[in-house]
């Protein structure tokens, strides 16, 4: 394993390692305005949601690593404490990247990138009409993290108004994760896209108390077939099945075939049962999979 002390790395080296490792990162496509009325539009991947009550996002226009200068977005929010956070999806990602070009102050990135300005309801900076979600925000605080190249500036933005395009909503009026087509930043020039094919669900143990991986037999925990993800699913059940429930799965055709074919061959029996269990886990049949590995 490569081990690095951050004090031994240059800001550029740190940026490279961290941006590749800490990813994917959602993109804050921020619209800001200065006191003279100059509009700025720029993307930032040092961004996330940090509170729902109050609804608060934080993004960080860091000081430039190469020359330690600050960005127009930072200068603007210090002058006019308002911004729009426009959420970026795949149909607009190339234009969003173009808007990150370091144009001179007073140049409107809406024009350069070909985006449409849409007036906000409650604040001065305009929204990006093409964005699937637009958040009108009041800047509550800007926290400087340092004066050196690469130092961040945390912009704490409280969301006041949320605009959502109807075409990304489901029948219940909620955002459909498969429709919004989000993108996120990785390291260097890399991005990723959230497609229906790449989506998967993980059951949250919010209202249940999982038994934990440590409650599984040692042979299951040390399985040569089951992965860490598989063990996590098995450990998320609320209780172990009874002996009667475990014994009942012997009558299923798939299990019976394995048991009959591996009489006297303990190692192959365990491997094949674990492989069957893993197949069931991929189908979401966790309870049945657990009974099989406990045979």
């Amino acid at each position: 394993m490569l081990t690095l002390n951050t004090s031994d790395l240059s800001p550029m080296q740190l940026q490279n390692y961290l941006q590749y490792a800490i990813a994917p990162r959602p993109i804050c496509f921020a619209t800001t305005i200065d006191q003279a009325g100059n509009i700025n539009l720029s993307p930032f991947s040092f961004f996330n949601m940090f509170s729902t009550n109050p609804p608060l996002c934080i993004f960080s226009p860091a000081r430039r690593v190469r020359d330690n200068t600050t960005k127009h977005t930072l200068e603007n929010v210090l002058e006019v404490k308002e911004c729009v956070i426009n959420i970026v999806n795949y149909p607009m990602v190339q234009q969003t990247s173009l808007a990150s070009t370091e144009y001179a102050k007073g140049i409107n990135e809406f024009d350069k990138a070909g985006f449409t300005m849409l007036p906000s309801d409650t604040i001065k900076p305009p929204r990006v009409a093409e964005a699937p979600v637009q958040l009108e925000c009041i800047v509550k605080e800007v926290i400087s993290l340092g004066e050196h190249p690469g130092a961040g500036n945390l912009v704490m933005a409280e969301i006041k108004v949320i605009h959502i395009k109807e075409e990304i909503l489901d029948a219940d009026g909620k955002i459909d994760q498969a429709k919004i087509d989000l993108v996120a930043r990785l390291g260097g020039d890399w991005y990723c896209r959230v497609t229906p094919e790449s989506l998967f669900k993980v059951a949250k143990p919010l209202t249940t108390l999982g038994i934990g991986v440590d409650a599984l037999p040692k042979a299951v925990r040390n399985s040569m077939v089951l992965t860490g993800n598989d063990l996590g699913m098995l450990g998320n059940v609320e209780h172990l099945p009874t002996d009667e429930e475990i014994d009942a799965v012997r009558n299923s055709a798939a299990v019976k075939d394995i048991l009959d074919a591996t009489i006297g061959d303990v190692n192959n029996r365990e491997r094949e049962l674990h492989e069957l269990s893993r197949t069931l886990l991929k189908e979401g049949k966790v309870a049945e999979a657990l009974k099989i590995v406990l045979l």
Side-chain angles (χ1 to χ4, degrees):
M1 176 174 285
L2 175 65
T3 301
L4 303 167
N5 291 319
T6 57
S7 59
D8 296 334
L9 301 175
S10 70
M12 190 65 72
Q13 290 173 317
L14 271 170
Q15 177 175 280
N16 182 274
Y17 280 116
L18 294 177
Q19 289 188 355
Y20 274 83
I22 303 173
R25 300 182 304 279
I27 301 169
C28 166
F29 199 22
T31 314
T32 58
I33 193 169
D34 67 11
Q35 289 180 341
N38 294 307
I39 293 168
N40 185 266
L41 179 64
S42 186
F44 300 92
S45 70
F46 291 1
F47 161 64
N48 219 310
M49 180 181 84
F50 287 84
S51 171
T52 53
N53 187 21
L56 190 72
C57 288
I58 296 178
F59 67 98
S60 178
R63 302 177 75 91
R64 294 183 180 91
V65 171
R66 68 173 183 275
D67 60 9
N68 200 28
T69 56
T70 56
K71 299 178 180 179
H72 297 143
T73 298
L74 175 62
E75 297 162 7
N76 287 358
V77 296
L78 291 173
E79 290 186 20
V80 178
K81 298 187 180 301
E82 299 174 344
C83 67
V84 179
I85 294 175
N86 305 279
I87 301 302
V88 179
N89 65 357
Y90 185 75
M92 56 187 290
V93 66
Q94 295 288 348
Q95 289 170 276
T96 301
S97 178
L98 178 57
S100 68
T101 304
E102 294 179 5
Y103 295 110
K105 188 173 180 63
I107 299 296
N108 190 333
E109 287 84 2
F110 275 90
D111 296 332
K112 289 294 186 182
F115 284 120
T116 306
M117 286 195 293
L118 192 64
S120 294
D121 290 352
T122 61
I123 60 175
K124 296 182 182 70
R127 296 177 276 148
V128 176
E130 290 78 4
V133 179
Q134 306 135 19
L135 311 174
E136 296 187 23
C137 304
I138 299 298
V139 175
K140 305 298 290 184
E141 188 176 359
V142 179
I143 302 173
S144 172
L145 300 182
E147 300 298 324
H148 299 294
N153 295 276
L154 304 185
V155 178
M156 303 179 66
E158 184 174 348
I159 302 165
K160 294 298 186 180
V161 181
I162 304 172
H163 304 276
I164 307 171
K165 287 192 173 182
E166 291 187 3
E167 56 260 37
I168 68 168
L169 300 176
D170 62 19
D172 298 321
K174 297 180 180 179
I175 293 176
D176 187 327
Q177 197 68 83
K179 290 181 180 179
I180 190 170
D181 203 5
L182 293 171
V183 294
R185 286 287 280 120
L186 305 172
D189 293 336
W190 291 99
Y191 287 72
C192 63
R193 181 182 184 183
V194 182
T195 63
E197 296 76 22
S198 68
L199 288 169
F200 62 95
K201 288 186 176 182
V202 177
K204 286 186 178 181
L206 298 178
T207 58
T208 61
L209 187 64
I211 60 172
V213 172
D214 61 334
L216 300 172
K218 184 177 180 180
V220 176
R221 299 197 307 268
N222 295 335
S223 172
M224 300 299 290
V225 175
L226 300 172
T227 67
N229 278 337
D230 297 330
L231 296 178
M233 294 176 71
L234 295 173
N236 197 32
V237 301
E238 293 185 72
H239 52 77
L240 290 168
T242 64
D243 291 340
E244 291 76 13
E245 290 172 327
I246 295 171
D247 194 55
V249 300
R250 294 177 183 273
N251 296 322
S252 72
V255 172
K256 194 172 186 305
D257 286 345
I258 293 173
L259 296 179
D260 289 344
T262 57
I263 294 174
D265 189 351
V266 176
N267 291 333
N268 274 330
R269 172 174 288 188
E270 180 178 278
R271 177 183 56 78
E272 291 189 28
L273 288 172
H274 286 194
E275 286 176 351
L276 175 58
S277 176
R278 189 155 191 239
T279 298
L280 293 170
L281 287 171
K282 291 178 180 178
E283 297 173 358
K285 300 175 181 177
V286 180
E288 187 175 349
L290 179 57
K291 294 172 189 175
I292 289 172
V293 297
L294 294 178
L295 278 172

